[in-house]
Amino acid sequence: MRKKRKARRTGLGLIAVMVLLVCGIVSYNRQELDKANAKSTARIAELKDDIEQEKEQAKEIQEKKAYMQTKKYIEEMAREKLGLVYKDEIIFKAQE
């Protein structure tokens, strides 16, 4: 009988140690997963901000593209870059 009680106690002790060990491992892994989740959440927020910035930039590019196709822009570039003027315009230059 004593052997059975001693074996039962030893068995219960081993089971308790194993359960505690498994709980410890699960807790550790959960903490690691929580850290990884927090990093992923931060990265997602960062990427969403980047997406918004890229959308704004794309909108600005589309607006600039539309402006560049106007007659006003073409005239400005012809005057500025090429020095062209209309036939009936008079150009006044300041003396240096």
Side-chain angles (χ1 to χ4, degrees):
M1 265 200 174
R2 285 186 170 180
K3 285 186 177 183
K4 283 185 180 183
R5 281 186 185 174
K6 191 173 186 179
R8 187 178 287 172
R9 283 185 186 172
T10 304
L12 289 175
L14 285 174
I15 290 172
V17 168
M18 294 297 258
V19 167
L20 290 174
L21 183 63
V22 168
C23 287
I25 291 170
V26 168
S27 295
Y28 176 77
N29 286 338
R30 178 174 172 133
Q31 289 176 353
E32 293 298 316
L33 287 174
D34 287 343
K35 288 179 188 176
N37 188 26
K39 285 181 183 178
S40 296
T41 302
R43 180 73 174 139
I44 288 170
E46 182 181 316
L47 290 174
K48 285 182 179 180
D49 289 342
D50 289 347
I51 288 171
E52 287 302 316
Q53 289 175 355
E54 292 298 323
K55 284 181 180 179
E56 288 176 17
Q57 187 177 8
K59 183 179 177 183
E60 290 172 5
I61 289 171
Q62 288 298 325
E63 289 172 358
K64 187 172 182 179
K65 180 181 173 185
Y67 173 68
M68 290 175 79
Q69 294 173 348
T70 63
K71 186 175 180 179
K72 182 179 177 184
Y73 175 79
I74 294 169
E75 287 178 2
E76 286 175 7
M77 288 299 109
R79 288 177 189 276
E80 186 180 309
K81 303 287 182 182
L82 304 174
L84 299 177
V85 293
Y86 285 109
K87 291 180 183 180
D88 58 348
E89 286 184 320
I90 300 173
I91 300 174
F92 295 101
K93 291 186 179 181
Q95 290 182 342
E96 295 179 18

